[in-house]
Amino acid sequence: MNQPHANLIAGEWVAGASVTRDINPSDLSDLVGEYAQADAAQAARAIEAARVAAPAWATFNTQARADLLDKVGSEILARKDELGALLSREEGKTLPEGVGEVARAGNIFRFFAGEVLRRAGELLPSVRPGIDVEITREPVGVVGIIAPWNFPSAIPAWKIAPALAHGNCVVFKPADLVPASSWAIAEIIHRAGFPAGVFNLCMGRGSVVGEAILADPRVDAVTFTGSVETGRRVAAKAVAGLKKIQLEMGGKNPLVVLDDADLKVAVECAVNGAFFSTGQRCTASSRLIVTQGIHEAFVAALVERMKGLKVGHALESGVHIGPVVDQSQLDQDLSYIEIGRAEGGTLAFGGNRLKRERDGFYLEPALFTGTSNAMRINREEVFGPVASVIAVRDYDEALAVANDTEFGLCAGICTGSLKHAAHFRRHAQAGMVMVNLPTAGVDYHVPFGGRKGSSYGPREQGRYAQEFYTTVKTAYVAALS
Ligand code: UN1
């Protein structure tokens, strides 16, 4: 298709006010496609379309609603290889990671097809005689979805599917860098046969479409995943309009490695958590907190393992780490590597810009040792394949260092000790805890989210998603005698 891919507004494909070019970060000469960019007027039309469709969708037959979501999920799953390749081509994660992510997106739609039928209420006796109290959940209304570039398929799915399942209409703004995967999902939703206006795709700039969603009183709720800085702006604007909000932002996730850890398991957790998906995950393990008895062996084994990691074109087989997503993210990664050096960290491995056959944003994964938790590389989110080792005396110091951060998304521990694992699970100040597992890579049917500066508002995913996507009604009913 040579035509720029259009936006979906009120059930119609609408050309943008301008277009953006989606470039393959593994090969800058490869144009993935051209995609519409809405202006403010088009964004307002998308919001209006959602508003108009909202009353009928809120009371739409549940079986039909579940069937529609199931149809979307099943098609995504059936096309996971093709859509996974598209995802890897536009975002740069490896093909197995891309296909895995698309499968996750498909499963999310199918999970929420089931959730349509599981929306239960409560019936209680009143404190007054002859009265029943009934608690039910209703849709919030129009939900604005602002998605990040690092999970072009799964994050849109885990926002769109619960929104629709719980009876809301959607205005979806994908990330500028990765419109192709979002457009593909929108096209599948469109063909599935949802009523016009229930789901609207509004590709465009944050400063135009994002702002329109945040400023418009016809939008009832906004869900956002992205940086802390943008999240704070989103929150301020959305709250000014009394919108319900849900924010998923950064992480500086610790992976604690204790003396009694299985060394192989610990190294695999570190490599996966810190460097896979090019480290571009808010769940990435960027602080490896290692007790003194295993420190030397762990660093030596990790560096050995890193030597065997192949960085290359995302679609090439055998590649472990694809390119960084774009020039500005690459600049940010390289600048943090400089900052780490200047702060006195030892670059134990990597950190070099790499040349490959095709011109792309290739970066060797980087490991710092000899760092302290006070350094900027251990306090600020890098969002790249950069991790640092912080040596500590014992478990108590490891836990204190793990919690000494403004973030609180995920915390991991590698240990053979039941006592330490149980204590860590209880005392890690994070929304998610991993024991002998990488901090990144989560299931699709259980709550996702963090504490402190990482998240704001109700959890995403699983049954808990209903807290954000529904509003509670308490009805008092008197029996007539
Ligand atoms: C995962 O680690 O499986 O933006 C998911 C992110 C997160 C998703 C991580 N919201 O990286």
Side-chain angles (χ1 to χ4, degrees):
M1 193 199 271
N2 287 330
Q3 289 277 3
H5 297 73
N7 276 320
L8 180 64
I9 298 175
E12 305 283 338
W13 293 106
V14 179
S18 58
V19 293
T20 182
R21 290 156 61 84
D22 187 353
I23 305 287
N24 179 350
S26 299
D27 176 358
L28 305 189
S29 69
D30 177 28
L31 174 68
V32 179
E34 291 191 321
Y35 290 83
Q37 297 261 287
D39 59 15
Q42 286 174 334
R45 277 178 52 206
I47 294 166
E48 175 63 17
R51 187 80 265 160
V52 168
W57 183 243
T59 54
F60 201 76
N61 175 266
T62 43
Q63 182 65 57
R65 194 191 296 167
D67 289 347
L68 284 168
L69 286 158
D70 188 73
K71 200 166 162 190
V72 172
S74 299
E75 178 169 343
I76 292 173
L77 281 170
R79 292 172 56 194
K80 69 178 182 347
D81 293 334
E82 168 214 342
L83 296 176
L86 179 67
L87 191 165
S88 294
R89 190 172 156 218
E90 72 169 341
E91 198 270 352
K93 64 181 66 175
T94 65
L95 187 57
E97 289 171 337
V99 172
E101 184 185 329
V102 169
R104 194 198 291 199
N107 282 320
I108 287 168
F109 272 96
R110 297 222 303 200
F111 173 84
F112 281 105
E115 279 296 276
V116 173
L117 307 178
R118 286 190 288 262
R119 178 127 64 79
E122 287 180 66
L123 187 65
L124 286 77
S126 166
V127 293
R128 289 168 279 163
I131 297 176
D132 281 333
V133 182
E134 183 198 65
I135 304 167
T136 52
R137 288 183 179 273
E138 294 182 0
V140 176
V142 173
V143 178
I145 295 176
I146 304 177
W149 51 260
N150 64 330
F151 282 86
S153 206
I155 291 181
W158 85 41
K159 294 179 187 293
I160 295 167
L164 297 176
H166 290 297
N168 303 284
C169 290
V170 166
V171 178
F172 167 42
K173 187 202 115 46
D176 266 358
L177 278 173
V178 292
S181 297
S182 291
W183 190 89
I185 291 178
E187 198 271 334
I188 291 171
I189 293 175
H190 178 60
R191 260 188 304 99
F194 285 80
V198 167
F199 171 83
N200 302 276
L201 171 71
C202 202
M203 299 178 287
R205 303 193 64 81
S207 57
V208 178
V209 178
E211 291 295 327
I213 288 172
L214 292 170
D216 198 309
R218 293 169 294 184
V219 176
D220 301 290
V222 175
T223 176
F224 165 88
T225 298
S227 69
V228 180
E229 198 194 336
T230 311
R232 283 185 193 277
R233 284 208 307 272
V234 166
K237 292 196 169 150
V239 169
L242 301 182
K243 298 186 197 319
K244 195 167 181 181
I245 56 170
Q246 177 182 59
L247 309 174
E248 286 299 338
M249 301 171 286
K252 199 68 205 171
N253 308 293
L255 176 71
V256 169
V257 178
L258 297 185
D259 287 356
D260 64 5
D262 180 318
L263 188 61
K264 255 187 118 134
V265 169
V267 167
E268 284 317 301
C269 287
V271 164
N272 179 323
F275 307 124
F276 287 177
S277 296
T278 322
Q280 297 175 149
R281 296 187 279 194
C282 56
T283 44
S285 326
S286 48
R287 295 184 299 140
L288 309 173
I289 302 168
V290 186
T291 50
Q292 54 193 0
I294 198 172
H295 181 268
E296 205 182 308
F298 174 78
V299 170
L302 181 53
V303 167
E304 241 353 86
R305 179 73 172 80
M306 289 175 75
K307 286 181 188 158
L309 293 174
K310 197 171 156 200
V311 179
H313 194 297
L315 297 176
E316 204 177 293
S317 76
V319 162
H320 303 107
I321 299 176
V324 171
V325 74
D326 73 348
Q327 184 66 51
S328 82
Q329 185 60 51
L330 180 66
D331 291 345
Q332 177 167 318
D333 297 350
L334 290 168
S335 109
Y336 272 108
I337 291 168
E338 269 323 301
I339 288 168
R341 272 205 187 103
E343 287 178 308
T346 304
L347 198 53
F349 184 84
N352 297 304
R353 180 83 164 86
L354 297 173
K355 279 230 159 304
R356 290 292 175 261
E357 197 189 323
R358 304 284 174 177
D359 188 16
F361 303 115
Y362 298 107
L363 176 64
E364 200 178 23
L367 182 71
F368 279 104
T369 53
T371 73
S372 85
N373 199 44
M375 292 177 175
R376 276 183 68 193
I377 45 161
N378 287 325
R379 304 216 75 84
E380 298 166 22
E381 186 174 49
V382 178
F383 221 63
V386 182
S388 38
V389 175
I390 304 170
V392 292
R393 271 185 321 278
D394 54 15
Y395 169 74
D396 291 337
E397 189 184 354
L399 177 66
V401 169
N403 285 336
D404 177 13
T405 168
E406 69 174 88
F407 296 105
L409 187 57
C410 192
I413 188 166
C414 290
T415 178
S417 151
L418 197 56
K419 179 179 137 195
H420 286 139
H423 190 272
F424 189 79
R425 219 166 64 197
R426 169 72 185 81
H427 295 280
Q429 293 163 7
M432 296 175 291
V433 175
M434 303 285 184
V435 178
N436 294 318
L437 285 168
T439 55
V442 298
D443 283 6
Y444 63 83
H445 65 308
V446 288
F448 178 94
R451 299 181 185 175
K452 303 202 272 187
S454 288
S455 306
Y456 191 88
R459 288 283 184 269
E460 304 198 86
Q461 301 230 71
R463 183 159 52 82
Y464 287 70
Q466 69 177 353
E467 290 304 329
F468 177 71
Y469 292 100
T470 64
T471 179
V472 165
K473 177 176 279 175
T474 312
Y476 295 80
V477 183
L480 295 176
S481 50

